Amino acid sequence: MKSTMTFKMTLIASAFALFAAESGLARESAVQHTGSKAVVVSNDITEAEVIAAQSAWGGALVQISKDFEEGGIKKARATANAVLDAAYGYNLGAVLFKPTLTTVPNTFRTTKEGALSYFVGDNSKYPQDTGFALKDWRSVEIKNVAIYLDGDTAMSMGNVMMTDKAGKLTTVDKTWGYTKDDQGTLRIVLHHSSLPVPGK
Amino acid sequence: MKSTMTFKMTLIASAFALFAAESGLARESAVQHTGSKAVVVSNDITEAEVIAAQSAWGGALVQISKDFEEGGIKKARATANAVLDAAYGYNLGAVLFKPTLTTVPNTFRTTKEGALSYFVGDNSKYPQDTGFALKDWRSVEIKNVAIYLDGDTAMSMGNVMMTDKAGKLTTVDKTWGYTKDDQGTLRIVLHHSSLPVPGK
Amino acid sequence: MKSTMTFKMTLIASAFALFAAESGLARESAVQHTGSKAVVVSNDITEAEVIAAQSAWGGALVQISKDFEEGGIKKARATANAVLDAAYGYNLGAVLFKPTLTTVPNTFRTTKEGALSYFVGDNSKYPQDTGFALKDWRSVEIKNVAIYLDGDTAMSMGNVMMTDKAGKLTTVDKTWGYTKDDQGTLRIVLHHSSLPVPGK
Amino acid sequence: MKSTMTFKMTLIASAFALFAAESGLARESAVQHTGSKAVVVSNDITEAEVIAAQSAWGGALVQISKDFEEGGIKKARATANAVLDAAYGYNLGAVLFKPTLTTVPNTFRTTKEGALSYFVGDNSKYPQDTGFALKDWRSVEIKNVAIYLDGDTAMSMGNVMMTDKAGKLTTVDKTWGYTKDDQGTLRIVLHHSSLPVPGK
């Protein structure tokens, strides 16, 4: 693995250098690529796609809040359900989801039902859930610290700052893992969110 | 999987569209990314790296020929040995290698010894091998038809045209598979080469 | 990369050994895994799945021949079309396909139309194609030399021996590349087939 | 993506079913695999390797505590340094690491120096760090909720319960991401740990 900042230099150095050290190599000018541009097939996740998926997540959170205000729990639930179907990977078997505020014995929400309850509450199986997405969210700011790309899997870590309609700011430490499905859509397969430890 | 030509449009369409259909979504302006640029860690193979690895392969072929002319089999073998160590993945366990001209019962060269014999001959275990890389090669032209990228694995297919010092051209149908190792070097893990079927 | 034959030993050696050399480590008995079995989500391709996909390919070849005999080109084409949709990855953008007997300028069949023409002919754009799958195939024998597994991508190399109803045997050197789609189906994304070079 | 619990059934259903629906397929008995067992090359991470890497992490934590008691900060630091080199992926560019107790502005420890300070303290750049690994740990219990495997990348989520020599138990919600390097060693590339939210 190499940081993308360094791998171009590494490439130039590596493919040739190991054997060039023992033998003066033919100049690269002996080789040329010709013909039409090759068709490239790839399902690799790009940094831009991670950013777009995060923007979609933030937009969805705000939307659920607004739908709750306009249409009540029924509308909010419908939106949250659609968001979970579209943006998470529950269709793939399970999602590694530790929401910000869940408690024992329902800390982890590996099923869609558990995730839906966390976002909009109203589920007697999860009596502590009050609906995190219903808290009047108006805007979301995301600061990524690091992003890890590996083919059709990616991970990101950083802070997410959510502001409600009263201007109150909530900051969380956030990790997301993603896969890209056959339609080219990023799906969240891992989500660990936690409140920052108070500074001393 | 999506062609890279189409996935950007797909991305825009997909991440939002599925749930946006049911609910007018908050404008993306509700979400912003701030802070320093995230560190990106990635070992994904790019198209440019595939091209560079192919150029390295072609340059190495020409070099082995020149080293043979200048320094005989000993020098050619040393260069070919270094090329195999640097550019192929025999250190990973085995390489799926079907050279252009090998015959039964030694068609496949999954070991480094077998590959070295194919390139420079001089191995009594492989009496048919006359050393493909010793044939006075002077230049290599590569035409990729299609390239498949999947994280730290890639595949390419197309034609490779090799010209010797007498100007004689040899064309082969060529498939390569690659992995990128921890140092960021592409290694050939699959290589299927065959002579074109004569046209009618 | 490690051969699967060696990685278990490597695992035991590696995770601990590097630092254990400098410091006598706590016995592993200080650590235990408890609780219910974790849900495991994976799209990795197994060797058994590669074998099954190869069997499906062979069965499909024989089926197209039989359907041709029973129902003519129309039935053979319908079956071949369904096979291409089900077993190849043309829906992913392109397939790296070099069939056994194609010639310049139509050597590579990166589109489904080109592949279908190779298998059942009857396409004026590819006048040389006589329909490889229509040649009275009755059985298929597959000998893999090596298989490369990397997550949802895999490659295999070896021989495929096809016998027709007259008992005539045709052997090819065969490379396949596969991806596993979201439904868990292996799809061929690379296929390089060539006639063996005659022995001397 | 499919749960490993379901993919075997899926395989049987999928490879054949799509086209078999339209055409009675040739019996699989028309196809057989023969020859020696293929060499299999794979760098895929298994569930057992994830478990072993977690055990190594727990054993290392206990070891650092014991080394601190026996040899002071110098010995503890040497062990922690070796653990970071052996078990984390800082050599790959950066690690997405959010330790349990870090605070703003040093919440994320993407560099090895930051991680070492978290585990053993004694670094003036991180004045809040008191050395999490020095807290007299004696045993570690791990409960995985879900594990995600994707080739040479994996992720796990669950609880880790650490007991010190006084018998005091500390529980954390834990997410790890791993890659397997060329030597077959799993390396932690993502680590998000947080204290559980107190129940109501």
Side-chain angles (χ1 to χ4, degrees):
Chain A
M1 291 277 165
K2 305 299 299 179
S3 158
T4 51
M5 290 190 242
T6 62
F7 76 48
K8 280 170 196 162
M9 287 180 297
T10 305
L11 175 72
I12 293 166
S14 62
F16 269 99
L18 292 173
F19 54 88
E22 304 186 27
S23 160
L25 261 192
R27 292 194 308 275
E28 277 198 62
S29 58
V31 186
Q32 58 176 326
H33 282 79
T34 61
S36 306
K37 176 124 180 51
V39 177
V40 176
V41 181
S42 177
N43 205 33
D44 289 348
I45 296 176
T46 65
E47 183 183 1
E49 291 177 302
V50 169
I51 299 299
Q54 294 175 336
S55 292
W57 187 93
L61 183 75
V62 171
Q63 188 61 47
I64 297 169
S65 278
K66 291 189 172 175
D67 283 353
F68 181 58
E69 295 168 44
E70 294 168 18
I73 184 61
K74 191 173 173 185
K75 188 170 185 186
R77 178 194 298 278
T79 301
N81 190 67
V83 167
L84 286 167
D85 284 345
Y88 281 76
Y90 284 104
N91 60 318
L92 308 176
V95 173
L96 289 64
F97 185 16
K98 206 296 286 178
T100 313
L101 299 174
T102 48
T103 55
V104 173
N106 294 314
T107 304
F108 303 104
R109 304 297 172 94
T110 55
T111 67
K112 183 184 160 189
E113 182 186 8
L116 186 61
S117 176
Y118 180 71
F119 283 124
V120 299
D122 199 31
N123 185 327
S124 59
K125 293 186 194 171
Y126 303 91
Q128 281 84 8
D129 289 350
T130 56
F132 183 81
L134 309 182
K135 309 299 186 191
D136 300 330
W137 303 116
R138 282 298 179 270
S139 65
V140 176
E141 183 185 346
I142 299 170
K143 287 187 189 178
N144 289 304
V145 169
I147 296 174
Y148 186 94
L149 304 175
D150 183 11
D152 60 4
T153 297
M155 310 182 213
S156 65
M157 181 176 276
N159 286 120
V160 175
M161 287 138 287
M162 296 157 285
T163 304
D164 68 13
K165 71 177 175 188
K168 188 186 167 213
L169 180 72
T170 299
T171 297
V172 296
D173 298 331
K174 182 82 83 183
T175 293
W176 276 305
Y178 318 81
T179 193
K180 193 194 282 190
D181 70 15
D182 290 348
Q183 278 67 48
T185 304
L186 262 61
R187 292 183 171 280
I188 296 170
V189 292
L190 179 147
H191 182 170
H192 187 148
S193 191
S194 56
L195 291 174
V197 174
K200 291 162 188 171
Chain B
M1 291 279 162
K2 305 298 299 179
S3 158
T4 52
M5 289 189 239
T6 62
F7 76 49
K8 280 171 197 162
M9 287 182 294
T10 304
L11 174 72
I12 294 167
S14 62
F16 269 99
L18 293 174
F19 54 88
E22 303 186 27
S23 160
L25 260 192
R27 293 194 310 273
E28 277 198 63
S29 58
V31 186
Q32 57 176 327
H33 281 79
T34 62
S36 305
K37 175 121 179 54
V39 177
V40 176
V41 180
S42 176
N43 206 33
D44 289 348
I45 297 177
T46 65
E47 183 182 1
E49 291 176 303
V50 169
I51 299 298
Q54 293 175 337
S55 292
W57 187 92
L61 184 74
V62 172
Q63 188 62 46
I64 297 169
S65 277
K66 290 188 171 176
D67 284 353
F68 181 59
E69 294 168 44
E70 293 167 20
I73 185 62
K74 190 172 175 185
K75 187 170 187 186
R77 178 196 298 278
T79 302
N81 190 67
V83 167
L84 285 167
D85 284 345
Y88 282 76
Y90 285 104
N91 59 319
L92 307 177
V95 173
L96 287 66
F97 185 16
K98 206 296 284 178
T100 313
L101 299 173
T102 49
T103 56
V104 173
N106 294 313
T107 305
F108 303 103
R109 303 297 171 95
T110 55
T111 66
K112 182 184 161 189
E113 181 185 10
L116 185 63
S117 176
Y118 181 70
F119 284 123
V120 299
D122 199 31
N123 184 326
S124 59
K125 293 186 194 171
Y126 302 91
Q128 280 84 7
D129 289 349
T130 57
F132 183 81
L134 308 181
K135 309 299 185 191
D136 300 330
W137 303 116
R138 284 297 179 270
S139 65
V140 176
E141 182 185 347
I142 300 170
K143 288 187 188 177
N144 288 304
V145 169
I147 296 174
Y148 185 95
L149 304 176
D150 183 11
D152 60 5
T153 297
M155 311 182 213
S156 66
M157 181 177 277
N159 286 120
V160 174
M161 287 138 287
M162 296 156 285
T163 304
D164 69 13
K165 71 177 176 188
K168 188 186 167 214
L169 179 72
T170 299
T171 297
V172 297
D173 299 330
K174 182 82 80 182
T175 294
W176 276 305
Y178 318 82
T179 194
K180 194 194 282 190
D181 70 15
D182 291 348
Q183 278 67 49
T185 305
L186 261 62
R187 291 183 171 280
I188 297 170
V189 292
L190 179 148
H191 182 169
H192 187 148
S193 191
S194 57
L195 291 174
V197 173
K200 290 161 189 172
Chain C
M1 291 276 165
K2 306 300 298 179
S3 158
T4 52
M5 288 188 243
T6 62
F7 76 51
K8 279 170 195 160
M9 286 180 296
T10 304
L11 175 72
I12 293 166
S14 62
F16 269 99
L18 292 174
F19 55 89
E22 303 186 28
S23 160
L25 260 192
R27 293 194 309 274
E28 277 197 64
S29 59
V31 186
Q32 58 176 326
H33 283 79
T34 62
S36 305
K37 176 123 179 51
V39 177
V40 176
V41 181
S42 176
N43 206 33
D44 289 348
I45 297 176
T46 65
E47 182 183 1
E49 291 177 302
V50 169
I51 299 299
Q54 293 175 337
S55 291
W57 187 92
L61 184 76
V62 171
Q63 188 61 48
I64 297 169
S65 278
K66 291 188 171 175
D67 283 353
F68 181 59
E69 294 168 45
E70 293 167 20
I73 184 63
K74 191 173 173 185
K75 188 170 185 184
R77 179 196 298 279
T79 301
N81 190 68
V83 167
L84 285 167
D85 284 345
Y88 283 76
Y90 284 104
N91 59 318
L92 307 176
V95 172
L96 287 64
F97 186 16
K98 206 296 285 179
T100 313
L101 299 174
T102 49
T103 55
V104 173
N106 294 313
T107 304
F108 303 103
R109 302 299 170 94
T110 55
T111 67
K112 181 183 161 189
E113 181 184 10
L116 185 62
S117 177
Y118 180 70
F119 284 124
V120 299
D122 200 31
N123 184 327
S124 60
K125 292 186 193 171
Y126 302 92
Q128 280 85 5
D129 289 350
T130 57
F132 183 81
L134 309 181
K135 307 300 185 191
D136 300 330
W137 302 116
R138 283 296 179 272
S139 66
V140 176
E141 183 185 346
I142 300 170
K143 288 187 188 177
N144 289 304
V145 169
I147 296 174
Y148 184 95
L149 304 175
D150 183 12
D152 60 4
T153 297
M155 311 182 214
S156 65
M157 181 177 276
N159 285 120
V160 174
M161 288 139 286
M162 295 156 285
T163 304
D164 69 13
K165 71 177 176 188
K168 188 186 168 215
L169 179 71
T170 299
T171 297
V172 297
D173 298 331
K174 182 82 79 181
T175 294
W176 277 305
Y178 317 82
T179 193
K180 194 195 281 190
D181 70 15
D182 290 348
Q183 278 68 48
T185 305
L186 261 61
R187 292 182 171 280
I188 297 170
V189 293
L190 179 148
H191 183 170
H192 187 148
S193 191
S194 57
L195 292 173
V197 173
K200 291 162 190 173
Chain D
M1 292 277 163
K2 305 300 297 179
S3 157
T4 52
M5 288 189 240
T6 62
F7 77 49
K8 279 170 197 163
M9 285 181 295
T10 304
L11 175 72
I12 293 166
S14 63
F16 268 100
L18 292 174
F19 54 88
E22 305 185 26
S23 161
L25 261 191
R27 293 194 309 275
E28 278 197 63
S29 58
V31 186
Q32 58 176 326
H33 282 79
T34 62
S36 305
K37 175 121 179 53
V39 177
V40 176
V41 180
S42 176
N43 206 33
D44 290 347
I45 296 176
T46 65
E47 182 183 0
E49 291 176 303
V50 168
I51 299 299
Q54 294 175 336
S55 292
W57 187 92
L61 184 75
V62 171
Q63 188 61 47
I64 297 168
S65 277
K66 291 189 171 175
D67 283 354
F68 181 59
E69 295 167 45
E70 293 167 19
I73 184 62
K74 191 173 174 186
K75 187 169 186 186
R77 178 196 299 278
T79 301
N81 189 68
V83 167
L84 286 168
D85 283 345
Y88 282 76
Y90 284 104
N91 59 319
L92 307 177
V95 172
L96 289 64
F97 185 15
K98 205 296 286 179
T100 313
L101 299 174
T102 48
T103 56
V104 173
N106 294 314
T107 304
F108 302 104
R109 303 298 172 93
T110 55
T111 67
K112 182 184 161 188
E113 181 185 10
L116 185 62
S117 176
Y118 180 71
F119 284 123
V120 299
D122 200 30
N123 185 327
S124 60
K125 292 186 195 171
Y126 302 91
Q128 280 84 7
D129 289 350
T130 56
F132 183 82
L134 308 182
K135 309 298 184 191
D136 300 329
W137 304 117
R138 282 297 178 271
S139 66
V140 176
E141 182 185 347
I142 300 170
K143 287 187 188 178
N144 288 304
V145 169
I147 296 174
Y148 185 95
L149 304 175
D150 184 11
D152 60 5
T153 298
M155 312 183 213
S156 65
M157 180 176 277
N159 285 120
V160 175
M161 286 137 288
M162 296 157 285
T163 303
D164 68 13
K165 71 178 176 187
K168 188 185 167 215
L169 179 72
T170 299
T171 296
V172 296
D173 298 330
K174 181 82 82 182
T175 294
W176 276 305
Y178 317 82
T179 194
K180 195 194 283 189
D181 71 13
D182 291 348
Q183 278 67 48
T185 304
L186 261 61
R187 291 182 171 280
I188 297 170
V189 292
L190 178 147
H191 183 171
H192 186 148
S193 191
S194 56
L195 291 174
V197 173
K200 291 163 189 172

